[in-house]
Amino acid sequence: MKSITTSKITQNSFSEFGNIIDTSNPTGEGFSVNEGRGKRFNYPNIFDHKNGMNDPEISIYQIKPSTLPVEIAILEQHPDTSQLFLPITGGDYLVVVAPTNSDGLPDISNIKAFIAPPDIGISYHQGIWHLPMMSLEKAGSFAMLMWESGTNNDCIIHHLVEKITIL
């Protein structure tokens, strides 16, 4: 059985697979909102989709906690849209990603696992294989945003030939 070790998520380490949204240290200058009581930080160009998709969907995910090490048996992808998760409650969570190989399946030889803290959101690029959301140690809730078409292409699930242990 293959096993991989987690590392801390950073924009540099995750850029091949998507973007991070650091709520504790937003990028850019920001601008004043709410009569000067707040600042707004935009994140342009981190979220995309193919033409012809329906309106974006926002959902709330409530995730039961898991503890490392954990065995994973599936990865999923959304070939037509990015998918964004912003933590609302909870603690650290697990992010497992893999690029696509020449057969259109997850490239298991290049799979990576990251620990994301609760002040970091993530946006997967279109077509990136990833583990469904997994909270670590305590339950978590997340806002999820993506475009959907109402077809089987909205979410493709791949069952791994061999389970992978995440340490």
Side-chain angles (χ1 to χ4, degrees):
M1 178 182 301
K2 179 180 177 79
S3 64
I4 58 173
T5 303
T6 60
S7 61
K8 182 179 175 186
I9 196 166
T10 66
Q11 183 56 54
N12 190 44
S13 65
F14 191 67
S15 64
E16 174 186 356
F17 308 104
N19 297 287
I20 66 168
I21 300 106
D22 186 344
T23 62
S24 68
N25 187 21
T27 58
E29 293 298 316
F31 57 93
S32 180
V33 294
N34 300 341
E35 299 173 324
R37 292 185 308 275
K39 260 189 158 174
R40 175 176 162 174
F41 296 86
N42 291 335
Y43 287 83
N45 305 317
I46 67 163
F47 200 63
D48 56 357
H49 63 89
K50 290 185 178 175
N51 290 333
M53 303 293 285
N54 295 331
D55 291 336
E57 300 281 335
I58 189 164
S59 303
I60 301 297
Y61 282 47
Q62 294 179 331
I63 308 295
K64 295 177 183 175
S66 297
T67 303
L68 294 177
V70 66
E71 289 183 354
I72 64 169
I74 66 167
L75 293 174
E76 67 181 39
Q77 77 163 189
H78 313 284
D80 297 334
T81 181
S82 298
Q83 185 181 37
L84 182 137
F85 285 96
L86 288 174
I88 300 169
T89 63
D92 292 348
Y93 60 101
L94 182 62
V95 178
V96 178
V97 288
T100 301
N101 68 19
S102 59
D103 296 326
L105 300 173
D107 180 358
I108 299 304
S109 65
N110 287 306
I111 193 167
K112 296 193 185 312
F114 301 98
I115 302 293
D119 57 352
I120 297 287
I122 56 168
S123 175
Y124 297 113
H125 292 317
Q126 287 182 46
I128 288 297
W129 290 99
H130 60 277
L131 181 69
M133 289 306 295
M134 186 176 289
S135 290
L136 296 174
E137 305 302 328
K138 61 182 179 178
S141 61
F142 300 83
M144 186 280 295
L145 179 66
M146 68 183 276
W147 279 262
E148 292 186 329
S149 63
T151 68
N152 290 338
N153 238 21
D154 284 339
C155 183
I156 296 173
I157 295 178
H158 175 73
H159 296 271
L160 300 173
V161 175
E162 251 186 85
K163 290 181 180 178
I164 298 173
T165 300
I166 310 297
L167 304 172

